[in-house]
């Protein structure tokens, strides 16, 4: 894990406030490492190059939500089938706040790669996301559906531009 630490992959303000132990099992920790090393680190590295080439400033990426134990997932209102609960999904925000550009970049970066879902979450009516959900594998640990979606007003649609 080159650009992300296990601590930031499991950190949760909600877990801290509610006293929830969000420590992953060894199996789930292995899923987190696999997801980061296979998908998130290469994405971060490519984002840095993209930011330098386009004058977008700082290229760091924050994880707003990574692994969630079942109790934490319930506390945040997550889906009962969430890949977050298996260490396969992460909600990302570029620290330079170029969200629309990050959305486009993620879509281009994932084209031709194995992944499960890219979801532009919390989109406003202009297609601006609040964060990007990047899922490496389906919760079953096998399927990688390659889905591009936008969540707008609580509903899923094919990803907007």
């Amino acid at each position: 894990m080159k650009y992300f630490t296990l601590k930031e992959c499991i950190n949760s303000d909600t877990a801290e406030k509610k006293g929830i132990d969000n420590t992953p099992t060894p199996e789930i920790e292995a899923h987190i490492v696999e997801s980061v090393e296979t998908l998130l680190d290469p994405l971060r590295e490519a984002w840095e190059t993209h930011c330098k080439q386009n004058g977008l400033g700082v290229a760091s990426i924050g994880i707003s939500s990574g692994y969630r134990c079942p109790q934490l997932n319930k506390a945040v209102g997550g889906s009962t089938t969430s890949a977050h609960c298996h260490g396969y999904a992460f909600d990302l925000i570029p620290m330079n706040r170029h969200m629309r550009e990050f959305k486009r970049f993620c879509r281009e970066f994932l084209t031709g790669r194995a992944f499960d879902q890219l979801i532009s979450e919390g989109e406003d009516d202009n297609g601006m996301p609040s964060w990007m959900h990047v899922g490496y594998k389906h919760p079953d640990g096998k399927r990688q559906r390659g889905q591009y979606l936008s969540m707008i007003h609580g509903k899923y649609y094919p990803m907007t531009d």
Side-chain angles (χ1 to χ4, degrees):
M1 294 184 19
K2 185 174 178 181
Y3 296 102
F4 301 94
T5 65
L6 181 62
K7 182 178 179 181
E8 65 188 315
C9 291
I10 66 172
N11 184 57
S12 167
D13 292 341
T14 302
E16 288 178 28
K17 287 176 190 170
K18 294 186 176 271
I20 298 170
D21 180 5
N22 196 43
T23 305
T25 64
E27 179 183 6
I28 289 175
E29 185 175 329
H31 296 171
I32 293 167
V33 171
E34 177 187 11
S35 298
V36 170
E37 290 180 349
T38 306
L39 194 60
L40 297 189
D41 275 346
L43 183 139
R44 165 57 179 79
E45 199 160 272
W47 176 241
E48 181 174 10
T49 301
H50 182 81
C51 287
K52 284 180 180 175
Q53 290 173 344
N54 294 282
L56 299 175
V58 161
S60 59
I61 297 170
I63 297 174
S64 62
S65 184
Y67 168 68
R68 298 183 205 140
C69 68
Q71 186 180 1
L72 175 58
N73 192 58
K74 185 175 181 178
V76 300
S79 165
T80 57
T81 60
S82 175
H84 285 278
C85 297
H86 301 273
Y88 288 131
F90 303 85
D91 295 338
L92 306 178
I93 298 174
M95 295 294 95
N96 60 17
R97 297 294 187 209
H98 289 280
M99 281 304 303
R100 187 178 303 280
E101 184 66 20
F102 187 61
K103 173 184 170 181
R104 288 182 188 128
F105 169 81
C106 288
R107 187 177 192 157
E108 289 175 20
F109 176 81
L110 290 173
T111 300
R113 294 180 187 267
F115 74 101
D116 189 48
Q117 291 182 315
L118 178 66
I119 307 174
S120 180
E121 298 261 14
E123 272 193 24
D124 64 18
D125 292 331
N126 297 313
M128 179 71 76
S130 297
W131 66 87
M132 295 301 295
H133 168 98
V134 178
Y136 175 54
K137 288 184 178 178
H138 183 274
D140 66 15
K142 296 177 182 143
R143 288 184 287 163
Q144 293 177 296
R145 298 169 289 180
Q147 294 178 329
Y148 296 94
L149 302 168
S150 289
M151 177 169 286
I152 305 167
H153 305 299
K155 293 184 179 180
Y156 291 105
Y157 299 93
M159 186 174 279
T160 62
D161 290 332

